[in-house]
Amino acid sequence: MVKIDVPYIDQSRKYPTGCESVSAVMLLRFLGYDISPDEFIDKYLEKRDFEKRDGQLYGPDPREYFCGSPYDEDSFGCYAPVIRRALASVLEPSCQVADETGTELDTLAERYLDKGMPVLVWTCIDMRPPVTGPSWKLLDTGETFTWISNEHCMLMVGYDEDGYYFNDPYNGNGVIRYPKNVVEDRYRAQHMQAVAVKVPDLSL
């Protein structure tokens, strides 16, 4: 069994859709950076709003921007490339931020958790089933994009034979364990997205 002790932050009071940012800040604090979720969101997170055009909803590409605002409960979220860029803007140049999207969870556990490094992982809120939709047209291309609802980002901090442990910022969940098969299913539903930090002195 592996379980890494990481400072915990609850997103509920101020950041209703800020799971990605709050999880990233937990990782930064683990790495010794004195940064608040507000500072991360306001200074480093690339955000973009929705707009109506001819009665149709147009919005940002979550691979490029946070869709809305983490302070707004009606907003959505963002995908791994956005958080990778934000983390890279905060971290010292010696730290490499890797977009590990497409990597199996057991590989992430071996590659990072076994060496003492937590990993940001996209799954579903409380491991609820994913829901397809809503859709909107992308602001820059006009292409139709479909969001997978119940999207959630957590910090994976450990594992045992049958489960994964997370610092889950949602609803004060704290450190929580979910069964491996459920986590793997929800991870696949959210495009197998993950972001990790490689620190030289950990030989990652």
Side-chain angles (χ1 to χ4, degrees), residues 115-144:
K115 295 175 182 175
M117 180 61 69
V119 181
L120 289 158
V121 171
W122 274 251
T123 59
C124 293
I125 294 171
D126 288 337
M127 293 299 156
R128 299 171 195 164
V131 177
T132 302
S135 298
W136 59 83
K137 289 189 177 293
L138 296 180
L139 287 161
D140 293 331
T141 66
E143 170 193 353
T144 298

Side-chain angles (χ1 to χ4, degrees), residues 7-196:
Y8 178 75
I9 306 170
D10 180 8
Q11 75 180 81
S12 304
R13 291 183 183 178
K14 194 173 181 182
Y15 318 102
T17 53
C19 57
E20 303 95 345
S21 296
V22 172
S23 294
V25 170
M26 287 192 277
L27 178 56
L28 287 167
R29 289 189 178 175
F30 170 77
L31 293 169
Y33 287 78
D34 183 15
I35 186 171
S36 67
D38 296 270
E39 185 180 359
F40 184 85
I41 290 165
D42 298 339
K43 289 178 67 173
Y44 301 103
L45 184 70
E46 296 175 83
K47 303 169 288 294
R48 201 170 179 188
D49 288 326
F50 289 81
E51 58 185 69
K52 280 284 184 72
R53 295 179 185 171
D54 301 321
Q56 284 201 306
L57 183 64
Y58 280 74
D61 185 336
R63 295 159 291 202
E64 299 292 334
Y65 301 95
F66 186 95
C67 302
S69 166
Y71 302 109
D72 179 4
E73 64 182 13
D74 294 323
S75 289
F76 290 86
C78 62
Y79 287 168
V82 180
I83 294 299
R84 191 207 68 77
R85 288 196 305 272
L87 282 170
S89 297
V90 179
L91 289 163
E92 296 169 9
S94 60
C95 297
Q96 180 188 346
V97 188
D99 185 340
E100 291 281 7
T101 296
T103 305
E104 297 288 349
L105 288 172
D106 57 356
T107 302
L108 291 174
E110 182 181 346
R111 189 176 292 168
Y112 294 101
L113 298 181
D114 284 355
K115 295 175 182 175
M117 180 61 69
V119 181
L120 289 158
V121 171
W122 274 251
T123 59
C124 293
I125 294 171
D126 288 337
M127 293 299 156
R128 299 171 195 164
V131 177
T132 302
S135 298
W136 59 83
K137 289 189 177 293
L138 296 180
L139 287 161
D140 293 331
T141 66
E143 170 193 353
T144 298
F145 174 83
T146 301
W147 181 256
I148 305 298
S149 289
N150 286 334
E151 175 264 356
H152 189 44
C153 180
M154 300 186 288
L155 191 62
M156 186 165 71
V157 297
Y159 66 93
D160 57 31
E161 188 174 348
D162 301 311
Y164 289 110
Y165 292 85
F166 295 90
N167 267 31
D168 182 356
Y170 183 72
N171 202 29
N173 280 343
V175 181
I176 193 166
R177 178 188 182 276
Y178 293 110
K180 280 187 175 179
N181 62 329
V182 178
V183 177
E184 286 160 0
D185 181 76
R186 304 303 188 253
Y187 178 61
R188 284 192 296 272
Q190 294 292 347
H191 316 295
M192 295 179 69
Q193 297 182 82
V195 172

